[in-house]
Amino acid sequence: MTARVREFNTFLRDHVNLNQTRVDTLQARVSSLDSYLADDSALADLVADDVIPQGSFAHKTIIRPYTGNDFDADVLLPMDEQTDWAPKKYTIELQKALEASSRYAGKTVLGKRCVTIDYADDFHIDVVPFVTRADGLTYITHRIDDEWIRQDPIALTSWIEESARIANGHLIRVIRLVKYLRDRSSLNVASVLLTALLTERVHSFAGVDDYTNVATTLVSLIEDLNDYVGPMTTVPWVDDRIGQNLANRLTQTGFTNLQSQVKTWARKMRAALDAPADESVDLWKAVFGDQFGDTSSSAPVLAASSAPIETYEKREAPGEQFMERDLRIPVRLDPEVRFRLVGRVSSTRRATGRYRPMSATGNHVPIDRSLKFSVESCTVQPPYDVYWKVRNAGIEAVERKNLRGQIANGGDTHFESSLFPGNHWVQAWVVKNGVAVATDTQDVTITKK
């Protein structure tokens, strides 16, 4: 078995992942939109909280746009219910509020469920009014049909985030790779449906080697997907986490094409994973194309031509500590015990004082918020100790010389503040009788202003 970890990391970085310049642009524009709607727009008094990322933006599965395509961010705008408003009025009033700003005037398009902001480059934002009604449930609206549509994208995002933890973070990379393959095939399958189909294949009882790295996770999930859809004669039901079908727009022909393509991927990927080291790259090229494993030429220039700056997202940071090496605490994870590290973020809107789970927004956090991390659902019998590590990453963390990474003994709760942008994370270990028996990690993506 040849995992080709370096080749997969390079291929993702240079050909699949959205490049950092575009990520920064996306985050800055969403943050500016959030500030305008909540503080300066005609709707400010109706805005209940920060905009909530949804879809590929929330799931961190946006990929580099294929030739002729743009990329987008979908966000929900939490709004208080107006009992005298028809459902269609929410999108109409949202467009009016945006058009009243010199920044957005002339850039908006009124859609069925959203208002689209088209920017001059290959990027747009879809803003969806998101209302918690008197029944306590969440809805979006349909302008043409003038009706409420029951949806809970937050539940979907939380489910994907939890499954990504089970798969050691590799689920998100696998989804990006599969979307890359889809864009270069004849498949016409929505991203949210592909994401859900792959996420459903993640199991906490999977083999210990199934989610070791990107390659093993990719093969495991694609083979499981092939086993699932292969025998079917009709389009499956794919739950959106509130009992509605994400596959309701997939045609029978589209599903047949998906079955055929997944079968081919499963066969080729298994051959590449099981091949000897001197044959595996060529077999992975048969899946992803000649750019996989190609180190003879540089990646396409999409932003600055200078060499990438070391951001320490994947590598050990200067001064970073590790349990066994630096603290001499053995790490012997016990599969019979576990806990959940839950991150929550405060709000400075009218929801001041409430902490909401980070998983609801794909772990995206605005600057200048209070962050609370808690050890929850712990099955380790007390007494025990909890050790914490906070790791910053990204260009600003490097410039500030604030990568952190030290480990300290603490209680079941740890507080932080979101001070500057970057992809950060917090890790906790539960230590029983001098041995670390369980660990969990919470990602934190702090967005630019």
Side-chain angles (χ1 to χ4, degrees), residues 51-314:
V51 297
I52 301 172
Q54 72 160 336
S56 298
F57 179 31
H59 310 152
K60 296 185 175 66
T61 58
I62 298 179
I63 63 171
R64 205 164 291 192
Y66 194 39
T67 303
N69 297 328
D70 64 358
F71 70 103
D72 67 326
D74 295 343
V75 297
L76 305 169
L77 177 64
M79 298 176 66
D80 291 332
E81 183 179 13
Q82 305 302 299
T83 56
D84 57 339
W85 281 17
K88 65 182 180 182
K89 189 169 183 177
Y90 288 84
T91 47
I92 293 171
E93 293 300 320
L94 173 58
Q95 186 187 36
K96 288 180 182 178
L98 290 168
E99 285 291 333
S101 165
S102 59
R103 175 177 293 176
Y104 304 113
K107 296 179 180 178
T108 69
V109 178
L110 189 60
K112 296 177 182 178
R113 307 182 183 192
C114 68
V115 177
T116 297
I117 304 173
D118 273 322
Y119 293 86
D121 48 21
D122 56 350
F123 174 71
H124 67 269
I125 299 176
D126 290 335
V127 190
V128 182
F130 186 59
V131 182
T132 300
R133 302 195 65 201
D135 60 6
L137 302 177
T138 52
Y139 296 81
I140 64 172
T141 64
H142 195 291
R143 181 178 59 87
I144 303 300
D145 297 337
D146 195 18
E147 66 180 11
W148 295 101
I149 301 174
R150 171 78 175 104
Q151 281 200 359
D152 191 352
I154 293 175
L156 184 68
T157 298
S158 297
W159 170 59
I160 294 167
E161 196 266 350
E162 178 62 26
S163 299
R165 290 193 188 209
I166 295 171
N168 300 314
H170 300 308
L171 170 64
I172 303 305
R173 301 176 184 90
V174 166
I175 292 171
R176 293 175 188 167
L177 289 167
V178 174
K179 288 172 65 174
Y180 176 92
L181 291 174
R182 177 206 57 186
D183 290 350
R184 287 152 181 80
S185 72
S186 60
L187 287 183
N188 184 20
V189 181
S191 292
V192 66
L193 178 54
L194 268 182
T195 297
L197 283 169
L198 290 165
T199 303
E200 283 182 338
R201 312 278 76 76
V202 176
H203 303 295
S204 59
F205 53 81
V208 293
D209 297 328
D210 287 355
Y211 308 139
T212 303
N213 51 57
V214 173
T216 56
T217 307
L218 175 63
V219 173
S220 174
L221 297 185
I222 289 296
E223 287 185 335
D224 284 353
L225 182 58
N226 183 48
D227 291 341
Y228 176 64
V229 301
M232 292 183 173
T233 56
T234 59
V235 179
W237 177 283
V238 182
D239 192 358
D240 69 348
R241 316 325 291 171
I242 60 169
Q244 299 177 141
N245 186 15
L246 289 172
N248 58 357
R249 297 185 184 180
L250 182 62
T251 65
Q252 185 62 43
T253 299
F255 178 60
T256 301
N257 290 340
L258 176 64
Q259 287 176 302
S260 175
Q261 189 64 76
V262 169
K263 182 178 181 180
T264 300
W265 288 340
R267 174 177 53 82
K268 288 185 175 182
M269 290 174 182
R270 171 53 65 183
L273 183 64
D274 289 346
D278 59 348
E279 300 176 13
S280 62
V281 169
D282 286 339
L283 290 174
W284 281 118
K285 285 179 183 289
V287 177
F288 292 108
D290 290 339
Q291 291 176 321
F292 184 91
D294 184 9
T295 58
S296 61
S297 60
S298 60
V301 177
L302 295 177
S305 58
S306 58
I309 298 174
E310 174 60 77
T311 60
Y312 293 98
E313 293 186 25
K314 305 296 182 183

Side-chain angles (χ1 to χ4, degrees), residues 322-324 327-335 337-339 380 384-388 407 427-440:
F322 295 86
M323 292 288 281
E324 293 188 320
L327 275 69
R328 300 294 189 266
I329 297 176
V331 177
R332 300 172 189 159
L333 303 183
D334 184 346
V337 297
R338 61 185 60 84
F339 69 91
V380 182
Y384 56 76
D385 294 314
V386 180
Y387 284 74
W388 296 87
I407 299 175
Q427 186 170 7
W429 294 263
V430 168
V431 175
K432 177 77 172 179
N433 298 326
V435 177
V437 295
T439 187
D440 198 12

